[in-house]
Amino acid sequence: MINHNLYSTELLDRKRLLGDAQADEFIRYVFSDPAKKKQLQDWMSGASGTLHLNLLQDAFPGFAFIDKATELPTWAQPRLMKTGAVFFARHSEIIMSLLGLLSLPYCYNAANGAMVLYLSELIRKQTTKRLFDTAVFVWEVMGPDAFSKDGSAFEEILKVRIMHAAVRYYTLQSGKWNDSWGLPINQEDMAGTNLSFSLIVIRGLRMLGYSVSQEDQAAFMHIWAVVGYLSGLDEDLIPENSKMAQQLDNAIKRRQFAVSAHGQELTGSLTAHILSVNKSKATANDILGLMRYLLGKEMADMLAINAPELPAYKLTLIKTLNLLRSFKPQGDAKQNYRAAYAAFKTQNPELAKRN
């Protein structure tokens, strides 16, 4: 990865005008022919697996990003990725909760980038399905064997990469896009999203009282660095370490975070979903108060997350219990992952329809 001590305005301005050239070229080629478009749609909706990926490579030869979809970057460290997967398996339940309570609303603060989600209407009108698809993606790329020949990480990432290119294509064709927002799903926004699933999750865990070692943080973020690379993110927007990740996060936040009606509407759809599926004893004020705590008052106000401050005794209890959980015996990572994923599937029977 390229070493950048400073993410300049000039650099990020350029990145807002860049998408994913290889995937965008592929989409233009496929969408020019109804038969090819149908072929791609069939593949996108099919079951996961390495053989299934081979079908796409056979159907559309000559596209380097597809042919190399299973090649890790030269800087990838399989041992570190394994450590990151073990960390996820140990904390999978709370990490998945943090995606809804923190990571996604964090992204909605980026007013220009969030406009893509707003215009597509999918996250607003099909909130449950879209959040479910995001959760499945995370489960699939974070599994202990996700990047093995029997895993489905490579294919799931390629599907998202192609989907992003298709969204860029349709958004630009819609006539609703303002070029002052940058390119739909541009490099800067992709970098911010990757950080929200990695750096921001670690931040959330610590805010909830979990003890996260520097080794575990580096390992978890390394997996997401690999995911970012395979998703088409430019390497100079993939931080080498936590310090650089903080610098990039701060730069994007300074440039892109602003109050927006569409960011508030997206957040409203998200919180309505979270409250509707809540089966715990936590009240609506507890959940929204926890979101305000995790996001911070300024960001929560920007997103119109209105709730009383979470009582200090509840926050102390949460942190204490989570700190104790941090030191419990780890157990077998694969068993932990399988048990947690099985519980997720049980709670979401629509998963069976997906495969």
Side-chain angles (χ1 to χ4, degrees), residues 243-274:
K243 181 179 179 181
M244 292 175 65
Q246 293 277 8
Q247 289 176 342
L248 180 56
D249 174 52
N250 288 336
I252 294 174
K253 191 161 50 177
R254 264 194 322 269
R255 289 165 48 83
Q256 298 301 328
F257 280 24
V259 175
S260 68
H262 55 276
Q264 293 179 353
E265 186 171 338
L266 289 167
T267 304
S269 297
L270 172 66
T271 55
H273 166 79
I274 292 173

Side-chain angles (χ1 to χ4, degrees), residues 29-40:
Y29 166 76
V30 171
F31 283 10
S32 67
D33 184 332
K36 291 185 175 67
K37 184 176 180 181
K38 175 66 163 54
Q39 199 171 10
L40 177 61

Side-chain angles (χ1 to χ4, degrees), residues 269-286:
S269 297
L270 172 66
T271 55
H273 166 79
I274 292 173
L275 296 177
S276 71
V277 299
N278 174 40
K279 297 178 181 178
S280 70
K281 295 180 180 179
T283 66
N285 279 341
D286 287 339

Side-chain angles (χ1 to χ4, degrees), residues 37-183:
K37 184 176 180 181
K38 175 66 163 54
Q39 199 171 10
L40 177 61
Q41 289 172 335
D42 289 344
W43 182 83
M44 292 286 285
S45 61
S48 297
T50 303
L51 291 176
H52 188 229
L53 178 55
N54 290 343
L55 290 175
L56 187 71
Q57 293 169 334
D58 292 341
F60 300 101
F63 287 94
F65 83 103
I66 296 177
D67 294 336
K68 297 180 179 180
T70 60
E71 294 183 13
L72 292 173
T74 56
W75 43 262
Q77 301 178 50
R79 183 175 297 181
L80 198 58
M81 293 171 68
K82 183 176 179 63
T83 300
V86 169
F87 174 79
F88 174 81
R90 189 178 181 194
H91 299 295
S92 58
E93 184 178 355
I94 185 60
I95 288 175
M96 297 308 294
S97 294
L98 280 170
L99 295 183
L101 296 173
L102 176 58
S103 298
L104 291 175
Y106 196 85
C107 290
Y108 297 162
N109 263 312
N112 291 327
M115 184 58 79
V116 180
L117 294 170
Y118 183 79
L119 290 178
S120 72
E121 297 189 343
L122 296 176
I123 197 69
R124 290 187 291 150
K125 296 187 177 181
Q126 299 181 29
T127 306
T128 299
K129 183 181 186 306
R130 294 302 156 185
L131 294 177
F132 175 77
D133 287 345
T134 300
V136 169
F137 174 77
V138 174
W139 279 110
E140 293 293 343
V141 301
M142 287 291 147
D145 301 314
F147 290 89
S148 71
K149 64 179 181 179
D150 298 320
S152 57
F154 292 115
E155 182 174 315
E156 292 293 329
I157 294 169
L158 182 59
K159 284 183 176 180
V160 167
R161 187 171 182 178
I162 291 172
M163 180 190 69
H164 284 170
V167 170
R168 265 192 300 274
Y169 178 89
Y170 281 125
T171 302
L172 290 173
Q173 292 289 320
S174 71
K176 299 177 181 178
W177 188 256
N178 188 324
D179 290 341
S180 68
W181 301 331
L183 198 68

